[in-house]
Amino acid sequence: GCGLAGVQQCAGMGVSRIVAICSQKNDAFVRQHGATEVVNYANDSELQSFFSENQGKFDCVYDTATCSGGGADYWKISIGLLKKDFDDKIVGEYTTLNGSPGKWIRAMSGKQKEHETLIIMDANGKDLELIVQLMEQTKAKPVTAIFSFDKEGIQKGFDLLKSRRAKGKIVFDILPASRNV
């Protein structure tokens, strides 16, 4: 869901090249939400070709897969995708939602590497209002799988979460069906 939200925001802000790395079965889905290219992570030669052919071509890498529980680790190979200046110094930005213990320690101690950011959420009204404004401006719509807040619904929701195949966010509807508006 966080990767899809990033794709939607980039598309809404007019980013010209948005590359999604996902399974082949999600190709049409991520393109529908704004991706301009799709790389199939299950096809090793396709994935390796993408990384080797795109060294130094990106302003930003937004990584939602590394250390997210599925074994993916794109950090080291993604850094090379970032643009560099004339002195061969990175000018692009690598951002991730997850990371190794070392990345977490650096982030928590305020010593993240330059041009590498572990995103740490700080839920507050001001930031949430900004997210709503950005979604309205870009006409992004959250993708959700909604389950009832009962034993069966909760089980289905958690089964989907554990499958690592959810598209978008899993939401539990806590209002009884008779009270839903």
Side-chain angles (χ1 to χ4, degrees):
C2 293
L4 186 62
V7 166
Q8 291 175 320
Q9 289 296 310
C10 288
M13 294 185 318
V15 174
S16 61
R17 186 176 185 202
I18 305 166
V19 181
I21 297 178
C22 62
S23 66
Q24 186 64 40
K25 75 174 190 153
N26 286 324
D27 186 302
F29 179 73
V30 295
R31 287 180 192 272
Q32 172 189 344
H33 288 279
T36 59
E37 298 172 48
V38 175
V39 177
N40 179 3
Y41 67 77
N43 181 330
D44 193 55
S45 64
E46 181 180 336
L47 186 64
Q48 295 310 317
S49 291
F50 167 76
F51 281 103
S52 66
E53 294 169 8
N54 286 283
Q55 295 294 297
K57 294 186 178 180
F58 286 86
D59 294 309
C60 182
V61 171
Y62 174 57
D63 179 358
T64 62
T66 295
C67 295
S68 66
D73 187 351
Y74 294 110
W75 171 69
K76 289 178 184 172
I77 57 176
S78 294
I79 296 299
L81 297 174
L82 298 175
K83 289 181 178 177
K84 295 181 178 182
D85 65 13
F86 293 109
D87 295 322
D88 206 35
K89 291 183 182 176
I90 293 174
V91 294
E93 292 293 327
Y94 170 84
T95 58
T96 185
L97 299 180
N98 301 291
S100 66
K103 277 204 176 299
W104 279 96
I105 290 168
R106 283 193 297 279
M108 299 305 273
S109 65
K111 299 181 190 271
Q112 294 192 78
K113 291 182 179 179
E114 189 175 14
H115 302 287
E116 295 181 34
T117 304
L118 176 66
I119 299 171
I120 300 174
M121 190 188 122
D122 173 24
N124 61 73
K126 184 178 175 186
D127 288 349
L128 293 174
E129 286 175 18
L130 177 60
I131 290 169
V132 169
Q133 285 178 335
L134 286 170
M135 289 185 72
E136 288 172 349
Q137 286 175 347
T138 61
K139 298 187 178 15
K141 299 286 184 208
V143 175
T144 57
I146 302 173
F147 296 94
S148 58
F149 192 67
D150 57 22
K151 184 177 180 179
E152 181 181 337
I154 292 170
Q155 185 64 53
K156 286 181 180 179
F158 276 93
D159 287 346
L160 180 59
L161 177 66
K162 288 189 280 185
S163 77
R164 301 187 48 76
R165 298 294 174 246
K167 290 182 179 180
K169 291 296 178 186
I170 298 169
V171 176
F172 295 100
D173 184 352
I174 61 172
L175 292 177
S178 62
R179 291 185 38 201
N180 280 338
V181 179

